[in-house]
């Protein structure tokens, strides 16, 4: 029996020109390149320049993804954009991308699940495609976390960066086997009781923008516990096993979390896409950025089985298994 799968046909990304190395923080904070590198694996990150926004970066990433797919915006049925740092309270950043691309049809909306946003957006896109409601969707993760940093808090502001990644998914009939191309399984979770571990202390209904607050050590603990578990669940649902996985494409928050999750899954680090050293934590943009860079480096190839996993504010976490 054939099934409709959401198959990746194009990927692209955009990173702001401004690259900020760790030692920049030494000029105004009691921190060091050594601390940041050894505790997080981060060496540098990109920061958006004045006038650059989440939607402007998302548009650049989307154009690159459409180019790779050999498609035009008119071929798309919709745009789903994962972000916690939209340009405006409304309309959604996704509708700004839609207009920026010159799309005059289809739908567009944002998904907000913080660092797990791209996983939730992929799962949403997969549901639209599998149910026949859309044939081609642009799924984007884009963030300007530099705009919600507390520059006096050394425990958070050294960790985050800006950027955008975009993926074009297309409905294709597949045999309905674990060896199919496209999204094979998803696993989503959230638990609002952990709100205080990672949040922004402002928002529209409190009439402020706020800055990011994080209990790093606690989030770390949850990440190590939950990521391997969700990845295992999605893999099982997909009918595949750890030994079938070509690449883990993890959320890029901390190299130590990435390493421990791979260890728990029984997968060697040479089968993990790592970009955290160059991008820092770009929240919802981190997985599509890692996917795009992984393809660009020649690591991810057609037919490769991928497991993407992420956790962040909410807490919200989950994973997606897909064959490239
Ligand atoms: O994307 C959403 C998910 N987020 C994450 O996954 C982040 C999860 N958490 C982490 O990645 C890590 O917890 C951090 C990188 C944030 C921190 O690493 P840690 O090993 O958990 O360090 P810590 O918070 O336990 O802090 C250790 C020490 C503290 O000093 P004391 O109390 O031991 O004297 C901190 O004050 O390091 C100190 N510290 C710093 N020192 C130099 C905290 N930030 C810095 C800094 N430079 N930037």
């Amino acid at each position: 029996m054939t099934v409709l799968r959401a198959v990746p046909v194009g990927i692209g990304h955009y990173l702001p020109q401004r690259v900020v190395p760790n030692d920049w923080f030494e000029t105004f904070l009691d921190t060091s390149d050594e601390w940041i590198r050894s505790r997080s694996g981060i060496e540098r990150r990109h920061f958006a320049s004045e006038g650059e926004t989440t939607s402007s970066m998302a548009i650049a990433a989307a154009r690159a993804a459409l180019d790779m797919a050999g498609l035009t915006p008119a071929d798309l049925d919709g745009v789903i954009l994962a972000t916690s740092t939209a340009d405006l309270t409304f309309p959604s950043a996704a509708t700004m991308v839609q207009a920026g691309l010159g799309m005059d049809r289809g739908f567009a909306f944002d998904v907000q699940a913080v660092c797990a946003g791209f996983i939730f957006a992929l799962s949403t896109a997969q549901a639209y495609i599998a149910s026949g409601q859309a044939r081609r969707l642009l799924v984007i993760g884009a963030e300007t976390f530099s705009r919600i940093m507390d520059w006096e808090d050394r425990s958070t502001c050294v960790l985050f960066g800006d950027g955008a990644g975009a993926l074009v998914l297309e409905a294709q009939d597949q045999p309905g086997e674990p060896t199919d191309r496209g999204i094979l399984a998803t696993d989503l979770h959230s638990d609002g009781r952990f709100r205080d571990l990672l949040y922004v202390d402002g928002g529209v209904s409190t009439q402020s923008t706020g800055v990011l607050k994080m209990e790093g050590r606690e989030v770390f603990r949850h990440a190590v516990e939950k990521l391997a578990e969700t990845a295992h669940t999605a893999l099982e649902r997909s009918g595949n096993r750890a030994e079938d996985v070509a690449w883990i494409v993890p959320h890029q928050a901390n190299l130590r979390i990435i390493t421990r999750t791979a260890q728990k899954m029984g997968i060697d680090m040479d089968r993990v896409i790592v970009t955290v050293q160059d991008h820092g934590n770009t929240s919802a943009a981190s997985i599509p950025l890692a996917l795009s860079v992984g393809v660009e480096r020649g690591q991810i190839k057609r037919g490769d089985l991928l497991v993407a996993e992420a956790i962040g504010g909410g807490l919200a976490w989950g994973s997606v298994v897909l064959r490239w």
Side-chain angles (χ1 to χ4, degrees), residues 31 35 39 115 154-155 216-217 251 253-254 256-257 281 311:
T31 187
W35 191 94
R39 307 307 274 186
C115 296
R154 66 177 186 170
S155 73
R217 214 174 302 189
H251 171 46
N254 187 314
R256 291 184 294 140
I257 296 174
N281 182 346
I311 185 165

Side-chain angles (χ1 to χ4, degrees), residues 55 79 81 83 86-99 107-111:
S55 72
V79 179
L81 193 158
T83 191
D87 303 21
L88 301 175
T89 300
F90 73 76
S92 66
T95 56
M96 296 185 188
V97 172
Q98 191 189 22
F107 60 82
F109 62 90
D110 289 355
V111 164

Side-chain angles (χ1 to χ4, degrees), residues 25 29-32 35-36 38-40 42 114-116 145 153-160 198 214-221 223 227 251-257 281-283 311-313 315:
F25 294 93
L29 283 173
D30 179 16
T31 187
S32 65
W35 191 94
I36 301 169
S38 62
R39 307 307 274 186
S40 72
I42 297 165
V114 204
C115 296
F145 261 49
D153 179 3
R154 66 177 186 170
S155 73
T156 53
C157 74
V158 302
L159 301 173
F160 293 88
L198 179 48
M214 178 166 73
E215 298 283 340
R217 214 174 302 189
E218 271 302 291
V219 177
F220 191 104
R221 199 175 61 73
L227 289 174
H251 171 46
Q252 309 282 322
N254 187 314
L255 186 58
R256 291 184 294 140
I257 296 174
N281 182 346
T282 57
S283 187
I311 185 165
L315 294 177

